[in-house]
Amino acid sequence: MDHRLTPEHEELRRTVEEFAHDVVAPKIGEFYEHHEFPYEIVREMGRMGLFGLPFPEEYGGMGGDYLALGIALEELARVDSSVAITLEAGVSLGAMPVHRFGTEEQKRTWLPRLCSGEILGAFGLTEPECGSDAGGTRTTARLDEATGEWVINGTKCFITNSGTEITGLVTVTAVTGRTEDGKPLISSIIVPSGTPGFTVAPPYSKVGWNASDTRELSFSDVRVPAANLLGEQGRGYAQFLRILDEGRIAISALATGLAQGCVDESLAYARTRRAFGRPIGTNQAIQFKIADMEMRAHTARLAWRDAASRLVHGEPFKKEAALAKLYSSEIAVDNARDATQIHGGYGFMNEYPVARMWRDAKILEIGEGTSEVQRMLIARELGLAG
């Protein structure tokens, strides 16, 4: 399978690469250090059309595909992961559920503003007592027949893009009924920001991704119209499984970008840092370490592009997405560790990008499904029931 980029995709890659180096790189360190959301950078990403990359033009999108999204995420993450995860969550978790499962009215109401970056969307799935066990959702939503409204109660945690000044909606998964044998029926419901009873907590104090927005959300008798149901009632579990399958490709692209960024920074440092009278890049130990880092990043790129290509062509991609996410997230941690080691004491200083990369890498093995969950999915796709 040929994973070389088309001229259009290569032009996109170069455009985002230039934006990342000329706009993001000079400014993001200060945002990161002060735990501030980079509104100016995000607005520029919106003007570039990045939030609309995989969506049809009729809804304000760029008419591209998931490969285009992955290319943009990889190039952004080579410089900074906070900006990259803002785009990833805004597209694959915020807007994609509306695109995949929304009614025509919901699409025309929300997608143009989401595609332009005027507003951000969030995906309220994870809860304090059920992380990987998303089927154990405790948030509830009951339909008040008298008013024609959903009444939502519960708590969500670790939700990206949920509390910014431009957050427009959160799609919430909630139990809306039970099967005859007592199993929960989970549905997805759109909750606009500012709805009474919808409370957004202060930002988390995080190890990494410090220039991105992550919060806990609470819902106390939150009422939204019955028409805010996204897709079929009781199909929310299947919906978010599809969204997570796609999202793993996006996270893999982001992780690949971080891994490649570690190579970029290590190469530049090895060529200029002198020890014992010569550049440290002339030492075979450093050369081999960087060669291994490049090998990992290259392989991860092939993996996520293969999964994206299968998605774009309508082929099964669940296993390939899990493989790509598992491998790329783990090698991102490896490359971040090695890049820090190459930089020595300077790698522990926040003024160097590799310090951010080291802090940002670990969450990639957790978010969008832990490494353990990916191995479980791969085993199931191989026919190993358990």
Side-chain angles (χ1 to χ4, degrees), residues 25 44 104 161 179 203 275 337:
E44 181 61 26
E104 189 64 23
N161 290 349
T179 62
R337 182 188 61 247

Side-chain angles (χ1 to χ4, degrees), residues 80-121:
D80 180 73
S81 290
S82 292
V83 170
I85 195 59
T86 298
L87 176 62
E88 191 279 333
V91 174
S92 68
L93 300 180
M96 193 59 73
V98 178
H99 173 59
R100 293 287 187 213
F101 311 113
T103 64
E104 189 64 23
E105 182 179 356
Q106 289 169 340
K107 292 177 184 179
R108 298 210 176 272
T109 297
W110 294 109
L111 283 181
R113 300 175 68 197
L114 291 166
C115 288
S116 68
E118 176 188 347
I119 63 171
L120 295 175

Side-chain angles (χ1 to χ4, degrees), residues 4 44 49 140 158 168 293 311-312:
R4 288 176 292 184
E44 181 61 26
T140 62
F158 311 140
M293 293 165 64
L311 168 58
V312 169

Side-chain angles (χ1 to χ4, degrees), residues 268-283 346:
Y269 188 79
R271 288 166 176 157
T272 57
R273 171 65 167 156
R274 299 181 66 85
F276 304 103
R278 61 180 183 174
I280 64 171
T282 61
N283 297 316
Y346 291 108

